[in-house]
């Protein structure tokens, strides 16, 4: 508890929480990535939430592994010809400022007005490494979402060309949506300009979440049928990376969880016998 209130008061606070973990990773001598802006964005609230997290994830290993995996898959996509990234529910992500990106690369962020205003104020004076465009939009509103996607994949801001091989990033988003909203979102991304979509998702893990910490930002989504849910919507998994396995490889997994990383990989299209959480990069069929 912080100041007599729940550490997380809304979904936006989870962005500060994630930033706190990125800041702590950056401060390590063996850091997997550098995010010098994360400390500023986390603020006291972000660190308070991190300190109140369950002991099983207090060091932030899921966030650190997810961040590193997504960084690497973004670089891989760019090397494969990606010409635009759409970061939906971008929150306090700072990749346009910390990744080695071409100066003319186009990166579009979308989120609610309040969090974008806070982010722009906090990062005033900082220069991104690419062409960065932000748009305020409620992604749960189908009409607003379609309008945003039309704009973001077309000639937007100073950019005169349409995207041809875009990557859509939904980091830390799907958890907070219900199944119907996720279904609508995934279908909306099925456009010729979108080559890849990357998300993090859970299979059999919702029951492990701390209800006390997340009562004001409840996690709702777990794909029914596992990967089959996404395949039936027209998206085939290219890379399926388990967070805990990579956290062990990165030397970030808690010692008491490491033995589980040596178990046989589960079939993610069948009912889960153990929790699984990971990062998936999809391509359209």
């Amino acid at each position: 508890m912080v100041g007599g209130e729940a550490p997380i008061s809304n979904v936006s606070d989870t962005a500060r929480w994630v930033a706190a973990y990125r800041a702590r990773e950056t401060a390590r001598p063996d850091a997997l990535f550098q995010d010098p802006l994360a400390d500023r964005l986390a603020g006291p609230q972000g660190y308070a939430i991190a300190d109140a997290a369950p002991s099983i994830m207090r060091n932030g290993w899921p966030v650190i592994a997810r961040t590193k995996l997504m960084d690497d898959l973004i670089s891989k996509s760019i090397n494969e010809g990606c010409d635009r990234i759409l970061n939906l529910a971008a929150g306090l992500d700072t990749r346009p400022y910390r990744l080695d990106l071409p100066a003319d690369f186009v990166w579009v962020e979308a989120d609610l007005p309040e969090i974008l205003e806070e982010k722009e104020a906090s990062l005033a004076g900082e220069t991104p490494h690419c062409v960065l465009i932000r748009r305020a939009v409620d992604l749960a509103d189908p009409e607003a979402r379609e309008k945003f996607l039309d704009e973001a994949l077309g000639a937007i801001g100073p950019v005169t060309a349409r995207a041809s091989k875009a990557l859509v990033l939904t980091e830390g988003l799907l958890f907070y949506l219900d199944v119907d909203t996720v279904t609508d979102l995934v279908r909306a991304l099925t456009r010729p300009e979108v080559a890849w979509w990357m998300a993090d998702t859970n299979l059999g893990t919702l029951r492990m979440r701390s209800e006390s910490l997340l009562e004001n930002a409840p996690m709702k989504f777990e794909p029914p049928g596992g990967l089959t849910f996404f395949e039936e919507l027209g998206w085939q998994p290219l890379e399926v990376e388990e967070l805990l396995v990579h956290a062990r490889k990165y030397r970030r997994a808690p010692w008491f969880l490491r033995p589980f990383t040596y178990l046989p990989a589960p079939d993610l299209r069948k009912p889960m016998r153990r929790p699984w959480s990971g990062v998936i990069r999809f391509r359209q069929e």
Side-chain angles (χ1 to χ4, degrees):
M1 304 292 285
V2 178
E5 298 180 356
I8 294 179
S9 58
N10 53 56
V11 171
S12 296
D13 277 345
T14 64
R16 300 179 184 89
W17 182 16
V18 169
Y21 288 138
R22 296 201 311 266
R24 287 177 172 169
E25 177 66 21
T26 298
R28 291 178 60 122
D30 61 344
L32 297 170
F33 53 81
Q34 290 292 320
D35 188 348
L37 300 174
D39 177 72
R40 184 192 313 175
L41 293 169
Q45 177 75 342
Y47 288 110
I49 297 168
D51 291 340
S55 58
I56 195 171
M57 62 173 295
R58 193 159 294 158
N59 73 342
W61 65 265
V63 171
I64 302 310
R66 181 181 76 183
T67 301
K68 172 62 174 168
L69 282 168
M70 287 192 164
D71 284 358
D72 291 347
L73 288 172
I74 287 169
S75 296
K76 182 176 183 179
S77 300
I78 292 174
N79 290 336
E80 292 174 352
C82 174
D83 59 1
R84 190 168 307 187
I85 288 178
L86 276 58
N87 190 355
L88 308 187
L92 301 178
D93 177 62
T94 61
R95 287 189 177 93
Y97 298 87
R98 64 177 182 81
L99 293 186
D100 184 15
L101 300 168
D104 60 350
F105 188 80
V106 182
W107 191 295
V108 184
E109 294 185 342
D111 213 320
L112 296 172
E114 296 82 3
I115 197 163
L116 288 186
E117 290 170 6
E118 174 186 341
K119 185 175 186 177
E120 290 184 347
S122 297
L123 298 182
E126 302 291 343
T127 303
H129 298 162
C130 61
V131 179
L132 174 60
I133 298 167
R134 294 192 178 105
R135 291 292 185 267
V137 59
D138 181 357
L139 294 167
D141 180 335
E143 184 176 345
R145 182 179 60 226
E146 288 300 310
K147 182 179 179 181
F148 162 75
L149 290 171
D150 287 342
E151 180 187 16
L153 293 168
I156 181 172
V159 183
T160 57
R162 293 189 62 82
S164 61
K165 293 185 71 174
L167 165 67
V168 176
L169 177 61
T170 56
E171 182 179 19
L173 171 61
L174 301 190
F175 309 133
Y176 304 107
L177 306 177
D178 58 39
V179 171
D180 289 343
T181 303
V182 172
T183 300
D184 290 344
L185 174 62
V186 174
R187 286 175 173 158
L189 299 180
T190 307
R191 290 166 170 249
E193 302 93 343
V194 179
W196 306 278
W197 164 48
M198 184 158 51
D200 52 324
T201 190
N202 291 331
L203 297 171
T205 59
L206 293 188
R207 62 183 178 274
M208 296 182 64
R209 299 294 177 180
S210 169
E211 294 300 325
S212 60
L213 184 67
L214 293 167
E215 61 184 357
N216 292 320
M219 292 189 174
K220 304 174 183 178
F221 178 71
E222 186 175 300
L227 290 182
T228 303
F229 171 81
F230 300 109
E231 291 170 335
E232 290 177 349
L233 291 172
W235 290 89
Q236 292 296 318
L238 288 176
E239 292 90 5
V240 181
E241 308 291 355
E242 185 172 4
L243 293 186
L244 183 56
V245 168
H246 284 277
R248 186 254 300 166
K249 293 177 180 178
Y250 299 148
R251 301 181 184 274
R252 298 297 184 271
W255 66 268
F256 53 87
L257 292 179
R258 292 172 197 164
F260 295 99
T261 67
Y262 295 100
L263 294 174
D267 185 340
L268 303 183
R269 294 171 179 82
K270 294 182 178 179
M272 299 298 295
R273 295 185 178 180
R274 63 182 174 89
W276 186 95
S277 183
V279 168
I280 306 172
R281 187 175 70 138
F282 298 93
R283 64 170 173 80
Q284 289 194 58
E285 287 185 330

